[in-house]
Amino acid sequence: MTDSALEDLPVAVIGSGPVGLAAAAQLVVRGIRPLILEAGPTPTAAVADWGHIGLFSPWKYDIDEAARRLLAPTGWQEPDGEHLPTGAELIRDYLKPLAETAELRDAILTDSRVVAVSRVGKDRTGTAQRESTPFLILTQNSAGTMADFQARAVIDASGTWESPNPLGQAGLAAPGEVEARRSGFVTSPLPDVVGRDREQFAGRRTLVVGGGHSAANTLLALAELGEETPDTRIVWVLRRADPASVYGGEGQDGLPARGALGARLRHLVESGAIDVHASTTITGFATDGDGTVAAEIDGEPVTLHADRVVPATGFRPDLGFLREIRTDLDPVVEAPQKLGPLIDPEYHSCGTVPPHGARVLRHPEPNFYIVGMKSYGRAPTFLMYTGYEQVRSVVAAIAGDQEAADRVELVLPETGVCSADGGTSCDAPTDAPEKTAECCGTAEPVALGIPTGDEHGRSGESAAD
């Protein structure tokens, strides 16, 4: 195919979440036609699943600059930059208007799950003229109908929401776990405990498994439900020996809403409202539906009882549909090779990495990039605002503007809080391409947290109580 014919093809963006739509907006402002493939029935379908959850960061960190340029002529009213939105507000006040702009609305194909990405006439072993051969993207809708599309470049912003980590040990599903998920005994991540899913939890015993923000979100929501429904019981199961590391910076956190989450969780644990099982490994689920979970605590077998189990063990990237693409992934966290050492949670848990773009994210496959949450592989601390910088750089590289692609245009505020691990979390492997300790003075600009007070329009106990 000639260069001009290739450039007439769109750039495919997989996923219509915040980073996917930002990528599409960046393409539009550079005069490049986007093709946005969304697996869900509506744009931003994954965000809708956690619409009840609040962001720790205010609006001023939640809006991409190219998206703002598309929205400005429509009469869109930009939200108050200091307000902390929920996921539902993020959709209503930003993502939905963006998806409905004249430039994007006809470019978004919903109910179009990408099942394979390759090159026209070539699998991953074909090298000759690969760069000048269009990408071939195969999709499937909910009825099973297949469709294929060609593109000049592919930006994979599909996220990790539909690929939760298993609950068993060693990164594997525990015996009976698959059946437990199918039956609903194991719920979806981040259920709407006090809203849509209330009846599943009110007056019941719930096990929350995990030691990160997702676990904290659900524990706080269950505690709120328990104040209204006293028979509600909460059990927190985590692999680590001490839950204190989940509390984070509390009052010292540069993002007050995030600090409030940790402080309130500590209070609930210390008051006995949450029953904690630390140093615990899930080893199996009963297949007869009797609500028992097999586990080991410090190596001793125990049986835990529950009406529901909430998985809060994080996510991992779905790499299956990229089998015919030449990727270069870090062998540990499954992020792009140059990014992996910067975000490996074994060495770094500050929640930030230096701003990075196309050069860090590129793969051996020309004009193919993984961005957003999926670019962090199995690392748990992706930053949405950093994702906006990723796609600005990536789109510049696709457009042939390498100077803009290499330029850093992201400046984050300082917080001074890394984690509660005694200061070792920023140690990095000696062969890391950047010194991760240098990033510890920057804030995590976007993370998710259960609304904990008036900042999200919900009254209740303050974090200091």
Side-chain angles (χ1 to χ4, degrees), residues 16-287:
S16 67
V19 177
L21 289 180
Q26 293 284 348
L27 289 165
V28 167
V29 299
R30 283 189 170 269
I32 301 172
R33 180 163 57 99
L35 171 65
I36 308 156
L37 300 169
E38 165 60 46
T42 62
T44 70
V47 180
D49 284 347
W50 51 263
H52 56 290
I53 299 294
L55 277 69
F56 294 142
S57 60
W59 271 113
K60 62 185 178 182
Y61 297 126
D62 302 338
I63 298 172
D64 172 71
E65 185 55 40
R68 183 181 280 110
R69 289 176 60 182
L70 295 191
L71 285 164
T74 68
W76 170 71
Q77 296 296 310
E78 184 166 344
D80 178 2
E82 301 301 324
H83 176 68
L84 299 168
T86 63
E89 289 174 321
L90 188 70
I91 293 175
R92 184 193 68 197
D93 297 335
Y94 170 52
L95 298 176
K96 187 173 185 287
L98 178 58
E100 292 176 347
T101 58
E103 295 88 349
L104 296 188
R105 61 175 175 249
D106 293 331
I108 302 174
L109 300 184
T110 57
D111 194 16
S112 298
R113 181 177 299 278
V114 174
V115 295
V117 180
S118 189
R119 295 274 187 177
V120 173
K122 298 180 186 294
D123 61 16
R124 67 185 299 158
T125 66
T127 300
Q129 298 180 324
R130 192 171 188 86
E131 187 168 359
S132 61
T133 301
F135 284 93
L136 178 66
I137 302 107
L138 186 64
T139 67
Q140 184 176 35
N141 67 15
S142 55
T145 302
M146 310 292 287
D148 60 77
F149 304 89
Q150 293 186 16
R152 59 185 280 195
V154 173
I155 301 173
D156 183 356
S158 58
T160 58
W161 179 252
E162 294 187 350
S163 304
N165 285 324
L167 294 172
Q169 60 182 320
L172 306 174
E177 180 178 338
V178 173
E179 293 81 359
R181 288 180 183 270
R182 288 174 179 166
S183 70
F185 178 58
V186 175
T187 72
S188 63
L190 289 172
D192 189 357
V193 170
V194 296
R196 177 189 62 217
D197 305 317
R198 181 188 181 95
E199 293 305 312
Q200 296 187 46
F201 302 98
R204 299 174 183 267
R205 182 181 179 87
T206 300
L207 265 64
V208 179
V209 184
H213 283 130
S214 294
N217 293 333
T218 300
L219 291 165
L220 292 179
L222 285 166
E224 181 179 331
L225 181 62
E227 294 172 0
E228 304 170 9
T229 312
D231 289 340
T232 301
R233 297 289 180 265
I234 312 167
V235 181
W236 185 12
V237 175
L238 65 165
R239 297 186 182 114
R240 66 189 70 182
D242 185 356
S245 59
V246 183
Y247 305 149
E250 301 186 56
Q252 300 178 27
D253 198 306
L255 296 172
R258 184 175 62 188
L261 182 147
R264 178 149 165 70
L265 183 59
R266 179 192 290 274
H267 166 74
L268 290 168
V269 169
E270 292 178 350
S271 70
I274 297 174
D275 181 16
V276 179
H277 291 286
S279 301
T280 302
T281 301
I282 302 293
T283 58
F285 292 83
T287 58

Side-chain angles (χ1 to χ4, degrees), residues 367-391:
N367 284 325
F368 171 79
Y369 297 91
I370 300 173
V371 300
M373 181 74 77
K374 189 172 180 177
S375 74
Y376 271 40
R378 299 192 184 200
T381 51
F382 170 72
L383 323 175
M384 191 165 74
Y385 207 54
T386 302
Y388 293 161
E389 174 68 1
Q390 288 181 341
V391 297

Side-chain angles (χ1 to χ4, degrees), residues 340-361:
L342 301 182
I343 59 176
D344 186 341
E346 285 281 317
Y347 301 96
H348 177 81
S349 62
C350 298
T352 57
V353 299
H356 55 277
R359 288 193 185 275
V360 169
L361 298 171

